[in-house]
Amino acid sequence: MKGRNDARLTGQAYSQLKAAIFEGRLPPGTPLSRRRLAEELGMSAVPVGDAILRLESEGLIESRPRAGTRVRIATPQEIHGNYVLREALETHSARLFAENADGRARERLLKAAERLDAANLALARGKCSQFRRARVERIHVAFHMLIAAASGVPALIDAIERSRVLLFNRLFTGSLAASHLPERWHRDLAECLVSASPEAAAEAMRTHVRYRQQEVIARFKELVEARSGPARMVRGPQRRTLEENGGAGALLD
Amino acid sequence: MKGRNDARLTGQAYSQLKAAIFEGRLPPGTPLSRRRLAEELGMSAVPVGDAILRLESEGLIESRPRAGTRVRIATPQEIHGNYVLREALETHSARLFAENADGRARERLLKAAERLDAANLALARGKCSQFRRARVERIHVAFHMLIAAASGVPALIDAIERSRVLLFNRLFTGSLAASHLPERWHRDLAECLVSASPEAAAEAMRTHVRYRQQEVIARFKELVEARSGPARMVRGPQRRTLEENGGAGALLD
DNA sequence: CCTTCATAACTGGTACATCAGTTTTTCCAG
DNA sequence: CTGGAAAAACTGATGTACCAGTTATGAAGG
């Protein structure tokens, strides 16, 4: 996803904002002011605006003209839709992997699956610090991108990355990432992708995605219900929340 | 795809540029200068820059920092990749249609298929003026979007629209849109989607997409070979091409 | 005629100032 | 206190000016 523009200010603003959103330093709902961000990032408002435009087109941010910009808050419908999209993309990705992947790629996938299952198990046992969850999530993304990469089709790889980005943001910042998975969950999937027919691989991936989908949506709903007691985040002053979340420090690496 | 920003200057620039690209008034390779465009559109360079940024993120335009912006030229690999992506998305879309679509949607799809086949036939017989091709292409898009819409999942619908947008631009401006299709091509597909099982519907769509993919890529290659005689568009002054393509008029509706 | 290289023209990137619309706060009447 | 209107503060949108990097141009030398 990185481009030639990362050297420019606009690219810096984009990267830093994106990272801050992913790592939970700017949770969903946080207001983002161009001027404020420009000041904290040490640049003018224009490149910040460009970065915001880009993040908005990726769905991480929403902006109402002349009325404010904020980190987007996901609805259950959106999460559901995102899983539908992922089912389409990753199912095909799995099929292509089973068809085309060479020996090296297959070996690497098996190893990645082992690592991922181990990390998930460790996470389920130990405590779920934000840092550890982020690390496991990175491994998880790497696993799926390994499958996608075997297709050799940039358009497909980008689309999968994009859909994951959206989901990751929503889930991670909503503290939904930590969930108990079957112990050999990814390993079984990987073995199927490596040795079964393309159709079987696609179906295995479909099952995989749908399982997660149901689990995540169930958790999300219960989370939403739990926090909807005093009907929060509906009214009230929502300015200056950036400072409350750590101020200038929230944007540093 | 349209948003609240269409009322703003940035939205106007976006819409007009997009339309001009689609309708062939700005063929692939045309250099786009912010200042020049700003002048012709009667606005400043900033909203034009925002529109360009947006179009770039959609893949219609490419821009090298401080060295120029131009309408993107597709490579055969990109076209192939786009069809791979479409196979993933539309296959799933067809499956969902067969699963979920209500009676009204099924009826409308059958009618749309009839209309599309008729239009294609007429196009194959008559002459292929740019205007007529554009019209048929609109019907074609509507047909596929009808299938996508039945899923009720915005993320999927947008992804399909986006992938079509890219392809349409590349093909249409490359004068590849006109091709001879089997007479009942879309009608058979529609009937399968309407009455067969989800799996059969998905497979029918897969065949459909792959058929077009092979056909289009073959034509594209022969087109590229045909025009690569004097090794064109490699060197030579490429400025002021906007004026050559109709000047200010090229951006009007 | 072809290459080389300096210069001029043009490009996108950024800063700053200002405009117009929205939200929050303030303050006064009830 | 309450309600509501006016004003203040803030927001994104846009215009203008300028900078730094790239490309085209054309003159000078082979």
Side-chain angles (χ1 to χ4, degrees):
Chain A
M1 283 296 243
K2 287 187 180 182
R4 171 178 44 245
N5 279 340
D6 280 23
R8 319 247 152 252
L9 288 186
T10 217
Q12 292 178 30
Y14 172 79
S15 309
Q16 296 205 37
L17 277 176
K18 194 168 167 180
I21 292 175
F22 279 175
E23 293 166 24
R25 283 171 292 166
L26 298 176
T30 310
L32 302 174
S33 158
R34 292 190 177 189
R35 286 176 237 277
R36 220 172 281 262
L37 291 175
E39 194 180 347
E40 297 187 1
L41 291 170
M43 63 184 70
S44 126
V46 179
V48 174
D50 287 356
I52 284 182
L53 209 63
R54 214 167 136 194
L55 289 166
E56 192 178 3
S57 86
E58 293 180 15
L60 270 74
I61 275 177
E62 73 186 335
S63 147
R64 290 170 308 171
R66 305 183 198 267
T69 304
R70 60 178 57 192
V71 182
R72 199 134 178 272
I73 301 177
T75 65
Q77 293 85 27
E78 278 181 310
I79 299 217
H80 168 78
N82 233 290
Y83 269 103
V84 171
L85 181 60
R86 273 196 54 201
E87 184 180 331
L89 295 171
E90 303 235 33
T91 290
H92 198 58
S93 166
R95 177 191 301 266
L96 292 177
F97 183 94
E99 278 177 6
N100 304 328
D102 60 7
R104 268 176 53 86
R106 290 171 197 266
E107 269 184 41
R108 279 198 293 185
L109 188 71
L110 288 175
K111 283 184 186 169
E114 262 183 76
R115 217 180 321 148
L116 178 52
D117 280 339
N120 259 326
L121 196 62
L123 192 65
R125 283 187 188 144
K127 30 185 182 186
C128 302
S129 77
Q130 184 134 310
F131 179 76
R132 303 185 60 147
R133 268 190 286 142
R135 186 173 161 277
V136 172
E137 191 54 34
R138 264 198 294 275
I139 299 180
H140 195 169
V141 170
F143 174 78
H144 283 272
M145 295 317 289
L146 211 56
I147 301 173
S151 71
V153 176
L156 183 63
I157 299 174
D158 283 358
I160 291 180
E161 191 173 12
R162 189 183 295 254
S163 75
R164 291 210 130 266
V165 154
L166 237 67
L167 213 53
F168 172 60
N169 170 43
R170 309 284 162 77
L171 297 186
F172 183 64
T173 58
S175 61
L176 274 165
S179 51
H180 293 259
L181 295 172
E183 204 168 315
R184 287 176 47 92
W185 188 223
H186 289 92
R187 191 145 168 204
D188 288 344
L189 175 64
E191 278 171 7
C192 183
L193 292 199
V194 163
S195 57
S197 74
E199 282 72 23
E203 285 311 312
M205 180 61 89
R206 192 184 307 282
T207 313
H208 181 88
V209 172
R210 287 196 174 171
Y211 179 91
R212 278 287 285 174
Q213 176 179 26
Q214 291 186 349
E215 182 195 51
V216 164
I217 288 183
R219 285 194 176 224
F220 187 80
K221 280 185 180 167
E222 103 193 10
L223 195 88
V224 167
E225 285 168 13
R227 77 157 62 160
S228 66
R232 237 182 251 176
M233 68 177 62
V234 181
R235 269 297 184 188
Q238 295 184 331
R239 295 263 165 79
R240 318 235 161 141
T241 319
L242 204 160
E243 271 81 3
E244 290 171 16
N245 280 314
L251 291 178
L252 302 180
D253 292 335
Chain B
M1 281 297 241
K2 287 188 179 180
R4 173 177 44 243
N5 279 340
D6 280 23
R8 320 246 151 253
L9 288 185
T10 224
Q12 292 178 30
Y14 172 80
S15 309
Q16 297 205 37
L17 278 175
K18 193 168 168 181
I21 293 175
F22 280 176
E23 294 165 22
R25 283 171 292 167
L26 299 176
T30 309
L32 302 175
S33 157
R34 290 190 178 188
R35 287 178 237 275
R36 218 171 282 263
L37 291 175
E39 194 181 347
E40 298 188 0
L41 291 170
M43 62 183 73
S44 126
V46 178
V48 175
D50 287 355
I52 285 183
L53 209 63
R54 214 168 135 192
L55 290 167
E56 191 178 3
S57 85
E58 293 180 14
L60 269 75
I61 274 178
E62 73 184 336
S63 147
R64 289 169 309 172
R66 305 186 199 266
T69 304
R70 59 177 58 191
V71 182
R72 200 134 178 272
I73 301 178
T75 65
Q77 293 85 26
E78 279 180 309
I79 298 214
H80 167 79
N82 233 290
Y83 270 103
V84 171
L85 181 60
R86 274 197 55 201
E87 183 179 331
L89 295 171
E90 304 234 32
T91 291
H92 198 58
S93 165
R95 177 190 301 266
L96 292 178
F97 183 94
E99 279 177 5
N100 304 327
D102 59 8
R104 267 175 52 85
R106 289 172 199 265
E107 271 184 40
R108 280 198 292 186
L109 188 70
L110 287 175
K111 284 185 186 170
E114 263 182 76
R115 216 180 321 147
L116 178 51
D117 281 338
N120 259 327
L121 196 61
L123 192 65
R125 283 188 189 141
K127 36 190 176 180
C128 301
S129 76
Q130 184 135 310
F131 178 75
R132 302 184 62 146
R133 267 190 285 142
R135 186 174 161 276
V136 173
E137 190 54 34
R138 265 197 295 274
I139 299 180
H140 195 169
V141 170
F143 174 78
H144 283 272
M145 294 318 288
L146 210 56
I147 302 173
S151 71
V153 176
L156 183 63
I157 299 174
D158 283 357
I160 290 180
E161 190 174 11
R162 190 183 295 254
S163 75
R164 289 210 131 266
V165 154
L166 238 66
L167 213 52
F168 173 59
N169 169 44
R170 309 285 161 79
L171 296 187
F172 182 65
T173 58
S175 62
L176 274 165
S179 50
H180 293 260
L181 295 170
E183 204 167 317
R184 288 174 48 90
W185 187 225
H186 290 91
R187 191 146 170 205
D188 288 345
L189 174 64
E191 277 171 9
C192 183
L193 293 199
V194 163
S195 57
S197 72
E199 282 71 24
E203 285 312 310
M205 180 62 89
R206 191 184 308 281
T207 312
H208 182 89
V209 172
R210 287 196 175 169
Y211 179 90
R212 279 286 284 175
Q213 176 179 26
Q214 290 185 351
E215 182 194 49
V216 163
I217 288 182
R219 285 193 176 228
F220 187 80
K221 279 185 180 166
E222 103 193 10
L223 193 89
V224 166
E225 284 168 14
R227 76 159 61 159
S228 67
R232 236 181 254 175
M233 69 177 61
V234 182
R235 270 293 183 189
Q238 295 183 331
R239 294 261 167 81
R240 316 231 164 145
T241 318
L242 204 160
E243 272 80 4
E244 290 170 14
N245 280 314
L251 290 178
L252 301 181
D253 292 335

